[in-house]
Amino acid sequence: MHIMADLGPYKKLGYKKYEHVLCTLKVDSNGVITVKPDFTGLKGPYRIETEGEKQELWKYTIDNVSPHAQPEEEERERRVFKDLYGRHKEYLSSLVGTDFEMTVPGALRLFVNGEVVSAQGYEYDNLYVHFFVELPTAHWSSPAFQQLSGVTQTYTTKSLAMDKVAHFSYPFTFEAFFLHEDESSDALPEWPVLYCEVLSLDFWQRYRVEGYGAVVLPATPGSHTLTVSTWRPVELGTVAELRRFFIGGSLELEDLSYVRIPGSFKGERLSRFGLRTETTGTVTFRLHCLQQSRAFMESSSLQKRMRSVLDRLEGFSQQSSIHNVLEAFRRARRRMQEARESLPQDLVSPSGTLVS
């Protein structure tokens, strides 16, 4: 129901353009009355400004002049609200369900909702991105049905300032599990890596490699925007560029993980001597990372172990490392001073002499 006022000038009443809504009343199935705007109270009157031959300002108040409710009515109102909140709680519980999936003890579940946002700064048009996630062979696993790779749609670039930008907005999702069984190991656990390959299509649907890139996934939960710089291998001479322009041929990497250190590499040194490359454009990813572990809700030693694992995964900054070293030095110095104080003075003093 609407309470309205006709604020038209004299002898011009009844026109719709002069009608204004002062208040709206709604009653739901539970008998709850909603008043909008609310009762005036101490807020002061509401204002309406009219436009026409002369501008007018109207002020009005909304007051509750109903008699006070009886105790029986107040009790009935409380029961109605209690029943309403109870049904809403049951509805929310039905949405969540009872079978909440938990990780195994000592494991960390990483869930990523990602998006390939855009690519810019590349030489040719009609770009698309091939990407995949590489899990370290030690301690990491993923479900058998999990797809860890994807290809975006082909997008025609648009000029933005000095660059040509392709907006993909391509979503992807994956999950992985980390299980650190050997807590005595001091080796730094590795984190998954996201690889990407940018390609372009010509008029004859032949592709060219525009760039390779890689980035380590964030070790902290939350929203992250990552910009990956890419490069591509090149050949010397104009013949290679002519071949790339006319027939789409270009140098390619047989193994995309060669962008960083391949997981299959077992040697001590990875040589890229003789590989000629040039810097190309950048790819922007937006990642929403979630982490789930039983250790987050436990206060036992398991939580302390998992915290140490997460700390090692996240890495210590140089500042925190220096601070830890200084703290260890202070503790050692304090223990040494306490030990010196407990010794006899003739052994501590450099001028002490032995008495025969």
Side-chain angles (χ1 to χ4, degrees):
M1 182 181 72
H2 300 291
I3 299 178
M4 309 183 65
D6 190 343
L7 305 180
Y10 182 66
K11 294 184 179 180
K12 291 186 178 181
L13 300 178
Y15 291 91
K16 188 175 182 179
K17 62 179 181 178
Y18 297 125
E19 294 179 354
H20 295 268
V21 178
L22 302 181
C23 181
T24 301
L25 301 177
K26 294 182 179 180
V27 182
D28 60 15
S29 59
N30 297 313
V32 178
I33 302 176
T34 304
V35 180
K36 187 176 181 181
D38 200 0
F39 296 119
T40 305
L42 302 177
K43 295 182 296 185
Y46 296 105
R47 299 158 58 96
I48 296 179
E49 295 184 6
T50 60
E51 297 180 357
E53 297 178 356
K54 58 179 181 178
Q55 188 174 6
E56 296 180 333
L57 175 64
W58 299 79
K59 296 183 179 180
Y60 69 98
T61 60
I62 302 176
D63 298 319
N64 182 13
V65 296
S66 302
H68 294 289
Q70 300 296 324
E72 296 80 5
E73 296 178 349
E74 294 180 355
E75 180 64 25
R76 177 177 174 273
E77 184 179 2
R78 282 193 294 267
R79 288 197 302 268
V80 168
F81 277 111
K82 184 178 180 180
D83 181 65
L84 177 63
Y85 295 148
R87 281 189 288 176
H88 186 64
K89 182 179 179 180
E90 293 177 358
Y91 172 71
L92 295 179
S93 299
S94 65
L95 293 179
V96 175
T98 57
D99 298 331
F100 188 76
E101 184 178 354
M102 294 293 294
T103 59
V104 297
L108 173 69
R109 181 184 185 185
L110 175 65
F111 188 83
V112 178
N113 283 325
E115 176 188 358
V116 184
V117 180
S118 61
Q120 65 180 29
Y122 292 97
E123 182 178 3
Y124 291 102
D125 204 348
N126 298 323
L127 300 176
Y128 67 95
V129 178
H130 168 227
F131 62 93
F132 72 93
V133 177
E134 182 186 46
L135 299 179
T137 55
H139 311 303
W140 284 93
S141 63
S142 64
F145 62 86
Q146 184 67 65
Q147 185 175 0
L148 299 178
S149 63
V151 180
T152 67
Q153 74 277 15
T154 304
Y155 193 91
T156 303
T157 59
K158 295 182 179 180
S159 297
L160 180 63
M162 300 295 292
D163 288 330
K164 294 181 178 180
V165 184
H167 297 278
F168 299 107
S169 299
Y170 182 86
F172 62 92
T173 300
F174 72 90
E175 62 177 310
F177 294 90
F178 172 81
L179 182 59
H180 195 69
E181 298 176 349
D182 186 8
E183 292 295 337
S184 61
S185 176
D186 293 331
L188 182 65
E190 299 181 8
W191 201 253
V193 180
L194 176 62
Y195 292 89
C196 64
E197 177 186 17
V198 183
L199 305 104
S200 62
L201 289 176
D202 63 6
F203 178 77
W204 303 102
Q205 297 300 306
R206 294 173 299 198
Y207 72 90
R208 314 178 191 90
V209 175
E210 298 293 335
Y212 299 100
V215 63
V216 180
L217 295 181
T220 55
S223 298
H224 307 272
T225 300
L226 307 178
T227 300
V228 182
S229 300
T230 60
W231 55 268
R232 67 178 181 89
V234 295
E235 293 181 273
L236 295 179
T238 57
V239 176
E241 292 301 318
L242 290 174
R243 184 188 306 114
R244 171 179 166 83
F245 179 82
F246 285 104
I247 64 176
S250 60
L251 291 179
E252 300 180 24
L253 296 179
E254 293 184 0
D255 184 3
L256 291 185
S257 62
Y258 192 76
V259 177
R260 296 182 76 251
I261 300 178
S264 58
F265 179 72
K266 302 300 181 182
E268 296 181 357
R269 296 178 181 87
L270 177 64
S271 175
R272 293 188 175 91
F273 181 76
L275 177 62
R276 299 180 181 273
T277 63
E278 72 172 4
T279 302
T280 53
T282 59
V283 182
T284 302
F285 292 91
R286 184 179 294 116
L287 304 178
H288 305 279
C289 303
L290 294 85
Q291 295 179 1
Q292 180 188 14
S293 175
R294 291 177 182 266
F296 294 152
M297 62 180 184
E298 295 178 359
S299 57
S300 61
S301 60
L302 178 61
Q303 183 179 14
K304 297 179 181 179
R305 292 201 303 269
M306 182 56 69
R307 283 179 178 174
S308 65
V309 171
L310 294 177
D311 289 341
R312 285 186 289 172
L313 285 172
E314 187 175 351
F316 295 106
S317 63
Q318 183 178 5
Q319 182 178 1
S320 62
S321 299
I322 295 175
H323 180 267
N324 293 336
V325 172
L326 293 177
E327 286 295 324
F329 174 77
R330 293 192 187 98
R331 290 194 298 269
R333 184 178 181 182
R334 190 183 311 113
R335 288 195 300 268
M336 184 179 64
Q337 290 176 350
E338 293 174 355
R340 288 174 61 91
E341 292 174 358
S342 63
L343 292 175
Q345 293 298 323
D346 56 352
L347 296 179
V348 177
S349 177
S351 59
T353 58
L354 294 176
V355 180
S356 58

